[in-house]
Amino acid sequence: MDMTHTPLFRTKAYVGGQWISAKSGHTVPVDNPATGEIIGHVPDLSGADTRAAIIAAEEGLSRWRETSAAERADLLLRWNQLILDNAEELAAIMTLEQGKPISEARGEIQYGASFVRWFAEEARRVYGETIPAPTADRRIIMLKQPVGVCAAITPWNFPNAMITRKCAPALAAGCSIIVKPSELTPFSALALAALAERAGIPAGVFNVVTGMPQEIGAELTGNPTVRKISFTGSTKIGRLLMEQAAQNIQRVSLELGGNAAFIVFEDANLDAAVAGLMASKFRNGGQTCVCANRVLVHAKIYDAFAERVSEAVKALQVGSGLSGDVTIGPLINGAAVTKVREHVEDALDKGARAVVGGRSHPLGGRFFEPTVLTDAGWDMRLAQEETFGPVAPLFRFETEDEAIRMANNTPYGLASYFYTNDLNRSWRVAERIEVGMVGLNTGSVSMEVAPFGGIKQSGIGREGSHLGIEEYLATKTFHIGGIS
Ligand SMILES: NC(=O)C1=CN([C@@H]2O[C@H](COP(=O)(O)OP(=O)(O)OC[C@H]3O[C@@H](n4cnc5c(N)ncnc54)[C@H](O)[C@@H]3O)[C@@H](O)[C@H]2O)C=CC1
Ligand SMILES: O=C(O)[C@H](O)CS(=O)(=O)O
């Protein structure tokens, strides 16, 4: 499927309402993870190019912050509708550059659009407060105002939804924003820019800069005009950006790595638990920050659960995401394949058994076999590190306290899941597990209505829900004295 000549497949960066090249003329190639073929090039913008984008965003802000909430809401709703009207083309572009199965890409477009609609509605409900003054001659009002020029640095694994989850609340709040998508998946971001332009979102309000990240990131975090950095990606880069943002005391929102525990207690509904694990673990081939990374199974049901999971994993179809029946696409790049292979080999060396898969797929390239490992141990790398691939390691436990202790034994704290029908245990586990999001008898926690985010080294701040817009609002206390 050649998407490179479709209207939304853009090969220029979008700054100040213009489609631009890098001043240097340099470009970055983008490949198709399923084949390794180059699908196109995007401008490799420099620090100076990024400075120009910041100036454009500042000009965009001056107009945008004066628009009414109703006007911003209407424009966001128009953008939302254009995204939905062009969902098939957006999904095909995503699968071409990211590799996920087309059915999942279609799902992400709907998920991404849901944030645009949600924050179009939130735009009109940014309320301030009046505060009872201590003296009769004073009035106190709390105003909510846009933070200003913002920057969003986003990952390759959800190249549409991670942009709208940041940009929709920013625009709803009256901010302008500069998006730096992953150099691995820029075309989804540029397609969103084309639709923002078509929706009538004014020049400079929504900008997309492309290229290698270091120089662009240094300018975005080093330029005092940028008042807010919103990042989704690895904890390593999140830490770096937080350090860089400190120089100008920029506000930061960080959605970072995870190491989710998926706990199956002895009284769990096994069919539901298997379905939940398949949904959590193998979505996007396991390249998801909230996916189950460690599967803790009570000893009493371990063998039965392992057998059922193995049957379900054997039914997964590996191949190019553009093929309709495929449920597991390629990993994003060679480094990802190496990391997954190393995790599996380390586990096998330390006593795990591969009851399904366990090696690169016969298709070769970036395809890896969906894998189930039994007898997983806490000394294995995949217990401590985020695998970010289609590998389900099954760990045994005997007691509830042991399961919670092991689940919490990680520097991360993004999401966890557990299956039980015991009401008292449900509350004990939900309250004691150290994460930002926990699912009981469900393998999914990601939707626009609910706060998304982590604790510990999984991040700072919340996206989505009624909390998401607060990340792009500043509070101003307005005191009026001398009233008689
Ligand atoms: N908590 C969450 O919602 C999510 C967390 N992640 C985590 O991110 C990792 C995988 O995603 P990746 O895209 O590989 O993460 P990554 O951290 O390498 O890249 C994320 C973004 O940061 C940019 N970046 C990299 N180095 C930079 C620098 N020096 N300055 C400025 N920007 C820079 C990249 O170009 C990309 O746009 C995994 O650890 C995963 O768990 C990914 C997606 C969502
Ligand atoms: O990038 C990710 O992993 C996303 O945050 C996961 S989700 O929001 O699509 O579940």
Side-chain angles (χ1 to χ4, degrees), residues 111 155 157-158 162 165 232 283 287-290 388 446 452:
Y111 177 48
N157 61 344
F158 289 82
M162 294 307 98
R165 192 160 81 179
T232 294
R283 177 163 75 109
Q287 300 174 113
T288 301
C289 58
V290 290
F388 235 54
S446 309
F452 186 105

Side-chain angles (χ1 to χ4, degrees), residues 16-35:
Q18 303 297 315
W19 296 92
I20 66 163
S21 301
K23 289 280 186 299
S24 66
H26 294 162
T27 61
V28 173
V30 182
D31 72 13
N32 173 349
T35 63

